[in-house]
Amino acid sequence: LENMIGVIANNLGANDSIKSRNLILTLGTFIYGFFGVAVGGENNIALVPIGALIASAIGCSRLVGVTMAVGGIGVGFALSPISPYTVGVAQSIGELPLFSGWELRLLMVVTCLAILSAYICFRVVKMEFDDGQPVEMSKALHEYRISRQDVIILVIFLAGLAIMLTG
């Protein structure tokens, strides 16, 4: 995973500009938010270390990665338009048609993920640079390469995610 994240961060120009760093943080927040919407909260906690790796690759501390991952998962789960845990139970108790009002909840989850990503980009990143040193990857970004073994591991990992999402 570190090799893949290093290669992707290098290709996206993570160390070149603040704009690239903010794009990576925003994409990560929305991806984690999607996992919160689709799968739920507790099932995605195992993916938090990947957020820490992403933050390290772009020169930020683990605080930024954990905020991106846990925040995205939490917002996605809490405002999910399709979650049987939050929406299904609440609407059955309230005697409302199942999954009615999904459009409003979809708008709310996208808006709140955008606000969260802006907060991470402009406040959390600034806080962590004021309070401590960013964590570094085990080697420079330009040194990361993808081997055949890395591709096999990534395919197995993505297959597991696909099974989890569809299962």
Side-chain angles (χ1 to χ4, degrees):
L1 288 175
E2 183 178 344
N3 281 340
M4 295 302 294
I5 290 170
V7 168
I8 292 169
N10 188 34
N11 289 341
L12 291 176
N15 287 339
D16 295 340
S17 70
I18 293 173
K19 186 176 180 180
S20 296
R21 181 197 70 203
N22 289 346
L23 174 66
I24 293 168
L25 289 173
T26 301
L27 287 174
T29 302
F30 273 86
I31 289 169
Y32 276 105
F34 170 73
F35 283 137
V37 165
V39 180
E42 66 282 347
N43 300 333
N44 294 312
I45 296 303
L47 301 175
V48 173
I50 296 172
L53 272 175
I54 293 169
S56 297
I58 59 175
C60 296
S61 75
R62 291 183 184 108
L63 170 69
V64 174
V66 170
T67 305
M68 173 183 66
V70 175
I73 291 168
V75 167
F77 178 67
L79 300 174
S80 175
I82 60 171
S83 173
Y85 305 113
T86 55
V87 178
V89 171
Q91 287 187 333
S92 64
I93 291 171
E95 298 179 2
L96 295 170
L98 193 59
F99 300 114
S100 62
W102 66 268
E103 301 92 346
L104 175 62
R105 285 190 305 282
L106 180 64
L107 177 66
M108 287 172 38
V109 75
V110 169
T111 301
C112 288
L113 285 171
I115 292 168
L116 175 64
S117 65
Y119 180 77
I120 292 168
C121 291
F122 301 115
R123 183 71 181 124
V124 178
V125 171
K126 182 183 180 323
M127 279 185 344
E128 65 98 10
F129 279 123
D130 289 344
D131 294 338
Q133 297 278 0
V135 176
E136 304 224 352
M137 301 282 277
S138 60
K139 51 189 170 182
L141 284 182
H142 67 275
E143 296 176 12
Y144 284 100
R145 302 283 182 263
I146 300 174
S147 68
R148 184 168 187 228
Q149 182 181 4
D150 293 330
V151 172
I152 292 169
I153 291 170
L154 181 66
V155 167
I156 292 169
F157 176 73
L158 292 176
L161 281 179
I163 290 168
M164 184 175 72
L165 285 171
T166 58

